[in-house]
Amino acid sequence: MCTVFLLVLCLTGLPLIFQDEISDALGTPHSAEAAPGAPLLSLDHLLASAQARYPGDATNFISLPDDDEGMATIGLIDKASAYHWVKYDRHTGALLDDQRQAGTQRISFMDVMLAVHGSLTLGLPGTLLLGLMGLLFVAALVSGVVLYPPFTPRGGAGTLRLRGNTRLRWLDLHNVLGMVLLAWFGVVGLTGVMNTLEKPLFGLWQATDVARMLAGQPGTPGPSRTPDTTTRIAVQFAMDEALRRHPHETVASILFPSEARHQPHHYLVWLHGDTPLRRELLTPVLIHASTGEVIDGEQLPWYLSMLEVSRPLHFGDYGGLPLKLLWLLFDIGAIVVLVSGIYLWISRRRRRVAPMTEVIT
């Protein structure tokens, strides 16, 4: 059963390695080209447009992707607690994409692959099940290393016996590929397990560190700093305040006040650096949504730092296209190892059943 789950993960992981390239080929919208340093519209202007498009829906987040600084994705929650998003050009304010065009929720091919790969489309229970399968996979790697030496072919480790029966050839191919890919199996397996713990780990951080940082903070709305009479400060002001505290970093996303995230009265602004490593290590800044008071977030705990670093490593996102191609070859090799393992298991059962059948007959 574990092997079948791993085979599904390898097959769905193939397109996810090239997620950006496939999305571009399928026509993912990007912002219009603009001159360097061209002014960007206020996030509140884009937010007002999204709210006018979907009146009554609550704003959940604003995401500012690295690969297109001129685009903003606004996440919304409707009255039925269903999530959807709209994308805008930050230079012109033009609507680039809407997940609910024509009133229906659009699901792309990559959305399906990511849902299957991340949770088998079963939500958090499926994600945790895959985490358990990942731990069993790592345990199988360790046991394989321990058990292989006593069964080493006479020609030595890594021998491919091209003569003999089919099962021996498959066994040698299975073992040799397993040895070649052992380190990669370990890296992908462990980072995959870390990724399955994303929601529980962030939930733990929000329930402990965030709650502690906000302890004693006033929850009653104070005077607004927005030009109108609303009780919530401008989201652009919140972003500017976070950047003022961290001028050498870039805003990745802004989470809106949420009881579920233990920040009912604060924006949570996530920032990151500009180096390959610092781009993955996020810095949190909490800003009171009514008073604008800033709580500079503490350094993320070690378990969240490990999670952030492991996510791109799992999909080979650190080294551009060359590393992705290498990940592709490794993934194909993993599929061969898993298929050969299934074949060896089935053939072994057949060999056991055949003598029993002969005795009975």
Side-chain angles (χ1 to χ4, degrees), residues 14 19 28 42 49 71 78 104 113 138 163 166 178 183 193 199-200 211 215 247 253 263 266 285 289 294 338 341 361:
L14 279 174
Q19 183 172 359
T28 298
S42 167
S49 179
M71 184 173 67
D78 64 17
T104 58
M113 291 295 100
V138 174
R163 297 180 180 179
T166 304
V193 171
K199 288 185 179 180
S253 63
Q263 38 157 107
H266 290 75
V285 176
V294 180
L338 293 171
T361 55

Side-chain angles (χ1 to χ4, degrees), residues 37-320:
L40 300 173
L41 292 174
S42 167
L43 292 181
D44 296 276
H45 177 87
L46 305 180
L47 182 59
S49 179
Q51 292 173 337
R53 189 174 182 84
Y54 291 101
D57 286 10
T59 308
N60 186 37
F61 67 86
I62 297 179
S63 176
L64 307 175
D66 283 344
D67 57 350
D68 191 346
E69 64 177 9
M71 184 173 67
T73 300
I74 300 178
L76 303 164
I77 308 175
D78 64 17
K79 295 178 180 178
S81 299
Y83 294 86
H84 63 107
W85 49 256
V86 288
K87 295 182 179 181
Y88 287 96
D89 190 317
R90 297 178 66 191
H91 296 290
T92 65
L95 178 68
L96 296 176
D97 198 7
D98 186 346
Q99 192 182 22
R100 284 192 175 176
Q101 287 179 345
T104 58
Q105 192 95 346
R106 189 178 74 250
I107 301 177
S108 68
F109 169 75
M110 296 308 299
D111 290 336
V112 174
M113 291 295 100
L114 188 58
V116 175
H117 189 84
S119 66
L120 300 175
T121 69
L122 298 176
L124 182 58
T127 300
L128 297 179
L129 175 62
L130 291 179
L132 176 61
M133 294 298 107
L135 288 176
L136 293 176
F137 174 60
V138 174
L141 292 178
V142 175
S143 64
V145 171
V146 173
L147 294 175
Y148 180 66
F151 298 94
T152 303
R154 294 179 180 178
T159 299
L160 284 172
R161 289 170 288 190
L162 301 179
R163 297 180 180 179
N165 61 46
T166 304
R167 188 176 183 279
L168 283 178
R169 290 198 295 269
W170 274 102
L171 178 61
D172 289 345
L173 178 64
H174 178 86
N175 290 333
V176 170
L177 278 178
M179 287 188 293
V180 172
L181 300 175
L182 180 62
W184 183 81
F185 280 151
V187 169
V188 172
L190 290 174
T191 55
V193 171
M194 283 296 301
N195 288 335
T196 63
L197 299 175
E198 178 178 1
K199 288 185 179 180
L201 291 180
F202 268 102
L204 173 64
W205 175 74
Q206 290 161 350
T208 54
D209 290 18
V210 172
R212 178 172 49 79
M213 285 188 288
L214 297 181
Q217 293 295 318
T220 305
S224 172
R225 294 191 182 183
T226 54
D228 55 21
T229 59
T230 59
T231 59
R232 180 173 288 180
I233 64 170
V235 67
Q236 182 68 47
F237 174 84
M239 185 178 81
D240 292 342
E241 280 293 289
L243 288 173
R244 188 173 65 82
R245 295 294 185 99
H246 300 272
H248 302 295
E249 297 193 1
T250 303
V251 173
S253 63
I254 304 171
L255 303 184
F256 279 60
S258 168
E259 291 279 358
R261 290 193 287 256
H262 301 275
Q263 38 157 107
H265 307 290
H266 290 75
Y267 292 109
L268 174 56
V269 183
W270 287 109
L271 304 101
H272 61 76
D274 55 0
T275 65
L277 180 59
R278 288 292 305 164
R279 193 175 289 116
E280 307 303 331
L281 296 176
L282 299 176
T283 301
V285 176
L286 288 158
I287 300 176
H288 199 288
S290 295
T291 66
E293 182 181 357
V294 180
I295 303 175
D296 212 343
E298 303 171 358
Q299 185 177 1
L300 288 180
W302 63 270
Y303 54 85
L304 286 187
S305 297
M306 287 183 59
L307 172 65
E308 294 300 322
V309 171
S310 69
R311 186 182 293 111
L313 185 60
H314 184 72
F315 293 105
D317 276 350
Y318 272 122

Side-chain angles (χ1 to χ4, degrees), residues 23-40:
S23 296
D24 290 341
L26 294 177
T28 298
H30 292 278
S31 62
E33 292 187 8
L40 300 173

